[in-house]
Amino acid sequence: MKKIAIFASGTGSNFDALAQAIDDGRLKAEIQLLVCDQKHAKVIEKAEKRGISTFVFTAKEFASKADYESMIVSKLKHANVEWVILAGYMRLLGSTLLEAYPMHIINIHPSLLPAYKGKDAVEQAIEAGERQVGVSIHYVDEGMDTGELIAQEAIQLTGREQLDEVLQMVHHVEHRLYPQTLALLFAD
Ligand code: GRF
């Protein structure tokens, strides 16, 4: 049973998909903590509903990234967290977190990396007229969506889909692929 922390800043549909996979026995893990940097994020209610502890912080109340990351690392260590799982966490990680969890921090990104890194990746792909979008799961390094790839899945488009529809298709793949990929990783 791996002890994990999930970091998220927004809606938390991936948080819920991971929690559900754990409840169903598809993912052998325990969520020790939700770390969130947005005090009104919907993901906080989702964690509370499931009785999962939360650490919510406001970055600008700290003097530096190293300061808030040190606080996060102490919470993670206190909860015996072994893996950090990013699920819509909208901040670049600094050396404090990266050095505390080498090759034990994973992210999910809604594009076929290395294409369309950063924000609004699905919108970027559609604007560029792509006929395929996708989902990537990768180790996290100091760059934005640049770490070593673990899994990818492509989604074919006809070119007639609306943005909302494509976003839904991407989420649908994410909610299956993230638990599935972590289950394989944790089995090693
Ligand atoms: C997902 O599309 C994920 O790939 C990206 O952020 C989004 C988070 O969505 N990193 P949600 O909050 O899990 O619904």
Side-chain angles (χ1 to χ4, degrees):
M1 211 45 113
K2 302 290 186 197
K3 293 189 190 309
I4 68 174
I6 298 180
F7 286 33
S9 307
T11 312
S13 70
N14 279 282
F15 172 90
D16 249 356
L18 291 168
Q20 195 57 51
I22 291 171
D23 286 353
D24 297 347
R26 284 178 284 128
L27 177 59
K28 306 253 174 294
E30 277 173 58
I31 306 173
Q32 301 295 101
L33 191 66
L34 166 74
V35 174
C36 180
D37 64 330
Q38 299 294 328
K39 62 178 178 229
H40 301 299
K42 291 212 174 85
V43 68
I44 298 168
E45 287 162 43
K46 292 192 163 93
E48 284 169 352
K49 238 182 228 165
R50 291 178 179 273
I52 293 168
S53 307
T54 61
F55 173 57
V56 182
F57 71 99
T58 303
K60 60 175 191 279
E61 289 171 4
F62 291 80
S64 66
K65 184 182 287 245
D67 273 15
Y68 70 70
E69 287 199 345
S70 298
M71 173 81 102
I72 294 173
V73 168
S74 75
K75 304 266 177 203
L76 298 178
K77 296 291 176 188
H78 183 74
N80 296 315
V81 168
E82 303 168 271
W83 287 85
V84 170
I85 309 303
L86 309 186
Y89 181 67
M90 301 302 282
R91 284 178 185 278
L92 271 185
L93 297 197
S95 54
T96 307
L97 263 164
L98 291 166
E99 284 165 19
Y101 284 91
M103 293 303 273
H104 281 68
I105 308 180
I106 312 291
N107 184 41
I108 186 163
H109 183 75
S111 81
L112 292 172
L113 290 172
Y116 308 113
K117 301 187 180 91
K119 268 195 178 176
D120 301 327
V122 177
E123 287 84 339
Q124 289 181 51
I126 288 176
E127 260 164 43
E130 296 285 355
R131 282 299 171 90
Q132 76 173 5
V133 291
V135 174
S136 301
I137 294 170
H138 63 95
Y139 288 102
V140 174
D141 62 15
E142 63 289 340
M144 169 122 54
D145 305 317
T146 50
E148 185 189 326
L149 281 169
I150 303 171
Q152 263 186 338
E153 192 169 311
I155 300 164
Q156 306 306 326
L157 301 177
T158 61
R160 291 188 298 273
E161 295 87 353
Q162 298 296 307
L163 173 63
D164 273 8
E165 205 180 324
V166 181
L167 287 169
Q168 241 180 44
M169 291 159 87
V170 167
H171 268 111
H172 188 73
V173 170
E174 288 187 332
H175 298 164
R176 171 175 44 74
L177 192 63
Y178 214 2
Q180 198 175 301
T181 304
L182 293 179
L184 285 174
L185 197 70
F186 293 169
D188 291 344

